[in-house]
Amino acid sequence: MDGLNVSIGFFFLVVGVCQVLRWLSKRLLSPGTHGCLAREFAGSFQLCMSCLELRMLMEIGPWGGGFSLDLVLTLLFLLSAVHGASFEGASANPTVSVQEFLLLESSLAAMVAKLLAQGVGTGTGWAVTRLYWSWELTQLHFIQNLIGPECSSSIRASLPHAAFVEGSCSFLFHLVFLKVRQSHPLYRVPALAAAVTFLTYTAGPYTGAFFNPALATATTFHCSGSSFWDYLQVYWLGPLAGMLAALLLFQGNIPRLFQKNLLYSQKSKYKVPKAKVTVQVEGDKPQRKRKVEKSNSKPCA
């Protein structure tokens, strides 16, 4: 259990360092720079380092440390919840940044800046994690250093099947994200954490279940066994196609591309009151007049 304690301490340290980075950037940088660059860099850095350490526990832990799958999935859920609560609006996911652009929530320049920050953040996180592993603080890190240079591809299915799996994971994740993104964090954070945990458990044996192109690029693109084009199809084109399908299904349109709703009929918000038709009978008129005259008559003195 010493290896697990070191990993848990590493998770706490990563989250704490990234929180300090967010706090400093919020006070030293302009709001635009903080939102587009600093938050995305810190979020991607935190996500990449946590994911690499957790994947090491998931792959080596069952036979090298005696960890059960239930323990690793519990850690995944807790880490996903911590990420969702601490990111301060950052996505650390290129498909979410592209989705915000398609929803007219960000400009082209902001989207490109976020993508660059995510790439730099995940690349830096990968380099720092490799340095941390080189210290060999636990037996698991020692084993990781031995097998690390000869890592194999995370694609363990045929190319169309793998692309479909990543696209399906991205589709389901974005459907949940679109549904709960305006909800209170008390409901949004555990919902997204549960979705990530379920998708990782279901699709992990086939592709690793990244559904995050930046994270997949830093984690598995350097491994042998698949070509760069194979990785690009599975971990970039698949999640982007899944995001587009989820957005079209949820919205009925893609606002950046076209405004017409292709799936759902749009009803007017305002209801026009219907006029009441009253039928007057000629015999009723004298009675109404008499009632009016009676009510308007003044009392006698």
Side-chain angles (χ1 to χ4, degrees):
M1 295 298 289
D2 292 338
L4 180 61
N5 293 332
V6 172
S7 295
I8 293 176
F10 174 75
F11 294 142
F12 277 108
L13 179 63
V14 169
V15 174
V17 170
C18 291
Q19 282 297 100
V20 172
L21 287 176
R22 295 185 187 96
W23 181 81
L24 290 175
S25 64
K26 188 181 295 184
R27 281 154 181 77
L28 299 178
L29 301 177
S30 63
T33 306
H34 170 70
C36 292
L37 297 177
R39 285 191 309 182
E40 291 295 338
F41 172 83
S44 301
F45 181 76
Q46 175 180 328
L47 181 64
C48 182
M49 295 184 70
S50 301
C51 178
L52 287 171
E53 183 73 4
L54 189 62
R55 285 180 64 83
M56 185 270 299
L57 292 177
M58 188 176 294
E59 293 175 358
I60 304 176
W63 56 269
F67 305 144
S68 64
L69 181 61
D70 296 341
L71 175 62
V72 178
L73 290 176
T74 302
L75 284 175
L76 174 60
F77 175 81
L78 294 176
L79 280 174
S80 300
V82 170
H83 295 333
S86 62
F87 275 9
E88 297 182 357
S91 64
N93 190 333
T95 58
V96 176
S97 299
V98 175
Q99 177 184 275
E100 292 173 352
F101 171 72
L102 294 177
L103 287 172
L104 305 177
E105 295 176 356
S106 66
S107 63
L108 178 62
M111 182 192 71
V112 172
K114 290 180 180 180
L115 295 179
L116 292 175
Q118 291 162 2
V120 174
T122 52
T124 307
W126 178 83
V128 174
T129 306
R130 297 287 296 183
L131 176 63
Y132 160 70
W133 285 343
S134 68
W135 297 342
E136 298 181 357
L137 300 178
T138 67
Q139 184 181 3
L140 298 177
H141 294 159
F142 173 74
I143 299 174
Q144 176 64 38
N145 285 333
L146 291 178
I147 66 176
E150 300 179 358
C151 64
S152 59
S153 172
S154 297
I155 302 176
R156 305 181 186 93
S158 63
L159 193 62
H161 184 199
F164 176 77
V165 168
E166 283 292 309
S168 300
C169 289
S170 178
F171 173 77
L172 294 174
F173 171 78
H174 280 276
L175 275 183
V176 176
F177 177 77
L178 288 168
K179 182 66 176 179
V180 303
R181 64 179 185 143
Q182 301 296 340
S183 303
H184 192 276
L186 186 63
Y187 306 106
R188 182 180 69 249
V189 170
L192 291 175
V196 170
T197 304
F198 170 76
L199 293 174
T200 302
Y201 172 75
T202 305
Y206 303 102
T207 62
F210 290 100
F211 48 95
N212 184 327
L215 188 61
T217 301
T219 304
T220 193
F221 269 41
H222 62 281
C223 296
S224 59
S226 299
S227 65
F228 177 79
W229 176 241
D230 293 342
Y231 284 131
L232 195 66
Q233 292 182 76
V234 174
Y235 295 116
W236 276 88
L237 298 183
L240 286 173
M243 178 272 295
L244 289 173
L247 182 59
L248 185 60
L249 180 63
F250 186 83
Q251 290 276 127
N253 66 345
I254 301 178
R256 180 70 66 175
L257 303 180
F258 54 89
Q259 297 291 333
K260 183 180 179 180
N261 197 308
L262 302 179
L263 301 179
Y264 311 111
S265 60
Q266 295 178 334
K267 297 182 179 180
S268 177
K269 295 182 180 179
Y270 307 101
K271 295 182 179 180
V272 180
K274 297 181 179 179
K276 295 182 179 180
V277 180
T278 57
V279 180
Q280 294 182 349
V281 183
E282 293 182 357
D284 294 342
K285 290 182 181 180
Q287 296 178 1
R288 290 178 183 174
K289 287 182 180 180
R290 289 173 192 160
K291 290 182 181 179
V292 172
E293 291 176 357
K294 186 176 181 181
S295 61
N296 292 336
S297 61
K298 296 180 181 180
C300 299

